[in-house]
mmCIF file of all heavy atoms in Angstrom:
data_model
loop_
_atom_site.group_PDB
_atom_site.id
_atom_site.type_symbol
_atom_site.label_atom_id
_atom_site.label_comp_id
_atom_site.label_asym_id
_atom_site.label_seq_id
_atom_site.Cartn_x
_atom_site.Cartn_y
_atom_site.Cartn_z
ATOM 1 N N GLU A 216 115.083 217.661 66.046
ATOM 2 C CA GLU A 216 115.517 217.786 64.655
ATOM 3 C C GLU A 216 115.377 216.478 63.889
ATOM 4 O O GLU A 216 115.434 216.451 62.682
ATOM 5 C CB GLU A 216 116.972 218.239 64.614
ATOM 6 C CG GLU A 216 117.974 217.243 65.200
ATOM 7 C CD GLU A 216 117.700 216.928 66.656
ATOM 8 O OE1 GLU A 216 117.312 217.858 67.422
ATOM 9 O OE2 GLU A 216 117.831 215.764 67.069
ATOM 10 N N ASP A 217 115.115 215.404 64.585
ATOM 11 C CA ASP A 217 115.138 214.098 63.926
ATOM 12 C C ASP A 217 113.759 213.616 63.478
ATOM 13 O O ASP A 217 113.619 212.491 63.041
ATOM 14 C CB ASP A 217 115.756 213.048 64.856
ATOM 15 C CG ASP A 217 114.947 212.914 66.128
ATOM 16 O OD1 ASP A 217 113.953 213.645 66.285
ATOM 17 O OD2 ASP A 217 115.301 212.083 66.961
ATOM 18 N N SER A 218 112.742 214.475 63.610
ATOM 19 C CA SER A 218 111.404 214.003 63.237
ATOM 20 C C SER A 218 111.276 213.866 61.721
ATOM 21 O O SER A 218 111.525 214.812 60.983
ATOM 22 C CB SER A 218 110.351 214.968 63.768
ATOM 23 O OG SER A 218 110.469 216.200 63.113
ATOM 24 N N PRO A 219 110.912 212.678 61.278
ATOM 25 C CA PRO A 219 110.810 212.411 59.842
ATOM 26 C C PRO A 219 109.689 213.227 59.214
ATOM 27 O O PRO A 219 108.589 213.263 59.721
ATOM 28 C CB PRO A 219 110.493 210.931 59.786
ATOM 29 C CG PRO A 219 109.851 210.621 61.097
ATOM 30 C CD PRO A 219 110.436 211.564 62.086
ATOM 31 N N THR A 220 109.965 213.882 58.145
ATOM 32 C CA THR A 220 108.960 214.695 57.461
ATOM 33 C C THR A 220 108.172 213.821 56.508
ATOM 34 O O THR A 220 108.491 213.707 55.340
ATOM 35 C CB THR A 220 109.637 215.837 56.681
ATOM 36 O OG1 THR A 220 110.414 216.590 57.591
ATOM 37 C CG2 THR A 220 108.587 216.746 56.050
ATOM 38 N N HIS A 221 107.170 213.164 57.056
ATOM 39 C CA HIS A 221 106.354 212.329 56.155
ATOM 40 C C HIS A 221 104.922 212.812 56.139
ATOM 41 O O HIS A 221 104.008 212.033 56.142
ATOM 42 C CB HIS A 221 106.428 210.867 56.552
ATOM 43 C CG HIS A 221 106.157 210.655 57.997
ATOM 44 N ND1 HIS A 221 105.288 211.441 58.709
ATOM 45 C CD2 HIS A 221 106.663 209.782 58.880
ATOM 46 C CE1 HIS A 221 105.267 211.034 59.953
ATOM 47 N NE2 HIS A 221 106.099 210.038 60.088
ATOM 48 N N GLY A 222 104.698 214.105 56.143
ATOM 49 C CA GLY A 222 103.339 214.640 56.152
ATOM 50 C C GLY A 222 102.797 214.722 54.758
ATOM 51 O O GLY A 222 102.830 215.681 54.109
ATOM 52 N N LYS B 42 105.149 223.762 60.498
ATOM 53 C CA LYS B 42 105.237 222.417 59.939
ATOM 54 C C LYS B 42 106.057 221.503 60.852
ATOM 55 O O LYS B 42 105.674 220.360 61.121
ATOM 56 C CB LYS B 42 105.848 222.479 58.539
ATOM 57 C CG LYS B 42 106.206 221.133 57.921
ATOM 58 C CD LYS B 42 105.007 220.187 57.795
ATOM 59 C CE LYS B 42 105.401 218.908 57.060
ATOM 60 N NZ LYS B 42 104.361 217.852 57.231
ATOM 61 N N LYS B 43 107.171 222.014 61.336
ATOM 62 C CA LYS B 43 107.995 221.183 62.203
ATOM 63 C C LYS B 43 107.272 220.824 63.490
ATOM 64 O O LYS B 43 107.355 219.694 63.985
ATOM 65 C CB LYS B 43 109.304 221.919 62.541
ATOM 66 C CG LYS B 43 110.353 221.769 61.467
ATOM 67 C CD LYS B 43 111.713 222.213 61.983
ATOM 68 C CE LYS B 43 111.614 223.595 62.607
ATOM 69 N NZ LYS B 43 112.854 223.996 63.307
ATOM 70 N N ASP B 46 104.735 218.193 62.828
ATOM 71 C CA ASP B 46 105.393 216.892 62.702
ATOM 72 C C ASP B 46 105.745 216.305 64.062
ATOM 73 O O ASP B 46 105.750 215.094 64.243
ATOM 74 C CB ASP B 46 106.690 217.021 61.893
ATOM 75 C CG ASP B 46 106.434 217.077 60.401
ATOM 76 O OD1 ASP B 46 105.313 216.742 59.991
ATOM 77 O OD2 ASP B 46 107.346 217.462 59.660
ATOM 78 N N ARG B 50 100.819 215.564 64.675
ATOM 79 C CA ARG B 50 100.600 214.375 63.876
ATOM 80 C C ARG B 50 100.268 213.128 64.686
ATOM 81 O O ARG B 50 99.738 212.158 64.148
ATOM 82 C CB ARG B 50 101.796 214.111 62.973
ATOM 83 C CG ARG B 50 102.967 213.456 63.635
ATOM 84 C CD ARG B 50 103.937 212.971 62.558
ATOM 85 N NE ARG B 50 105.198 212.639 63.160
ATOM 86 C CZ ARG B 50 105.620 211.383 63.307
ATOM 87 N NH1 ARG B 50 104.890 210.388 62.915
ATOM 88 N NH2 ARG B 50 106.791 211.161 63.857
ATOM 89 N N SER B 55 99.697 215.631 60.135
ATOM 90 C CA SER B 55 100.472 216.820 59.810
ATOM 91 C C SER B 55 100.289 217.203 58.342
ATOM 92 O O SER B 55 100.687 216.460 57.460
ATOM 93 C CB SER B 55 101.947 216.520 60.098
ATOM 94 O OG SER B 55 102.734 217.656 59.892
ATOM 95 N N ILE B 58 103.490 221.031 53.911
ATOM 96 C CA ILE B 58 103.928 222.414 54.112
ATOM 97 C C ILE B 58 103.182 223.376 53.184
ATOM 98 O O ILE B 58 102.766 224.462 53.599
ATOM 99 C CB ILE B 58 105.468 222.540 53.941
ATOM 100 C CG1 ILE B 58 105.952 223.978 54.119
ATOM 101 C CG2 ILE B 58 105.939 221.984 52.618
ATOM 102 C CD1 ILE B 58 105.850 224.503 55.531
#
Side-chain angles (χ1 to χ4, degrees):
Chain A
E216 65 300 322
D217 61 358
S218 66
T220 303
H221 50 33
Chain B
K42 171 59 175 166
K43 277 194 309 171
D46 280 345
R50 80 167 166 108
S55 184
I58 179 69

